[in-house]
Amino acid sequence: NAGVTQTPKFRILKIGQSMTLQCTQDMNHNYMYWYRQDPGMGLKLIYYSVGAGITDKGEVPNGYNVSRSTTEDFPLRLELAAPSQTSVYFCASTQRTDTQYFGPGTRLTVL
Amino acid sequence: QKEVEQDPGPLSVPEGAIVSLNCTYSNSAFQYFMWYRQYSRKGPELLMYTYSSGNKEDGRFTAQVDKSSKYISLFIRDSQPSDSATYLCAMKGRGADGLTFGKGTHLIIQP
């Protein structure tokens, strides 16, 4: 199993550009999550999904959108990138509602 | 008051020492408690998981949860330079929503 994979690893965006961060898991987990981690801070929840077709907002959803059309994939969309979205983004998944397993992250810079 | 408080460090100890890492929290609904290890520029890696109060031991690592004091700890025995990383505490209540993280403690084990 590859676990949780994320692409791209790094990306630089200009203000106002859009992009999609990809997340895929091959463990057949129902629950998937997106977090962001700013320097010196813990992770904050952006969006989560309890299964295909079901998503919900987390603590910091503004400026982001998600979709979940399959069990495996949970992409995160940034529509109008802003400097405040410069961060490291982590995707996680789990089959239970307690522990979560994280991907390697996408490092995003918005200039 | 933040939901989860964790001293960011850095905490520097000599190789072989016992390390004590701690978090306090305010939300009495938290039932699941986790410790993640994060190496520089990597995703968080699940280290220990505890449900409700009590102790759990895994090799050189021991996790303790005291729900009455809203206080959790991670002990590392016979610390090694490879233990140098950021340690994040995380917790959640019942349900499918995400984890609430501390800011992480940066640990340095000196050879």
Side-chain angles (χ1 to χ4, degrees):
Chain A
N1 285 351
V4 180
T5 58
Q6 294 183 238
T7 57
K9 287 186 171 56
F10 307 94
R11 183 74 184 267
I12 298 175
L13 281 182
K14 294 182 179 178
I15 294 172
Q17 287 186 320
S18 301
M19 77 164 293
T20 299
L21 284 68
Q22 301 292 347
C23 175
T24 300
Q25 53 89 12
D26 63 358
M27 299 172 282
N28 203 32
H29 286 170
N30 285 326
Y31 306 98
M32 296 187 73
Y33 304 83
W34 275 106
Y35 294 86
R36 59 177 287 172
Q37 185 178 32
D38 298 327
M41 303 294 287
L43 285 72
K44 292 189 183 298
L45 182 67
I46 305 172
Y47 270 97
Y48 67 100
S49 170
V50 301
I54 306 169
T55 63
D56 207 347
K57 295 178 181 179
E59 183 183 355
V60 289
N62 291 345
Y64 308 95
N65 279 300
V66 293
S67 59
R68 183 99 182 269
S69 56
T70 67
T71 299
E72 295 79 20
D73 300 305
F74 189 38
L76 178 71
R77 178 85 178 158
L78 283 70
E79 290 294 348
L80 292 170
S84 61
Q85 293 177 305
T86 294
S87 191
V88 183
Y89 292 85
F90 291 103
C91 179
S93 74
T94 184
Q95 186 50 30
R96 300 159 23 161
T97 57
D98 44 26
T99 56
Q100 295 179 14
Y101 300 92
F102 286 81
T106 293
R107 191 170 295 269
L108 176 67
T109 301
V110 181
L111 300 174
Chain B
Q1 182 186 9
K2 295 191 188 303
E3 274 202 295
V4 180
E5 299 274 6
Q6 185 177 10
D7 187 337
L11 175 63
S12 184
V13 302
E15 182 176 356
I18 296 175
V19 176
S20 173
L21 303 168
N22 310 293
C23 289
T24 60
Y25 65 95
S26 58
N27 189 341
S28 57
F30 289 147
Q31 297 282 341
Y32 303 95
F33 304 91
M34 282 138 274
W35 286 95
Y36 284 85
R37 179 173 62 194
Q38 186 176 27
Y39 292 112
S40 181
R41 294 182 172 262
K42 300 290 185 184
E45 170 194 8
L46 181 64
L47 205 56
M48 297 289 285
Y49 156 67
T50 309
Y51 170 68
S52 195
S53 286
N55 294 358
K56 187 171 185 178
E57 186 173 323
D58 184 2
R60 296 185 295 113
F61 299 91
T62 299
Q64 288 185 351
V65 175
D66 181 349
K67 289 188 68 181
S68 62
S69 301
K70 295 190 177 66
Y71 188 88
I72 71 170
S73 301
L74 177 71
F75 298 95
I76 307 174
R77 292 182 297 280
D78 187 24
S79 56
Q80 305 293 313
S82 58
D83 294 328
S84 298
T86 296
Y87 289 79
L88 297 153
C89 64
M91 49 199 77
K92 71 182 300 292
R94 298 185 186 278
D97 56 342
L99 299 171
T100 299
F101 282 85
K103 289 185 178 182
T105 298
H106 182 43
L107 175 65
I108 301 167
I109 307 298
Q110 301 168 332

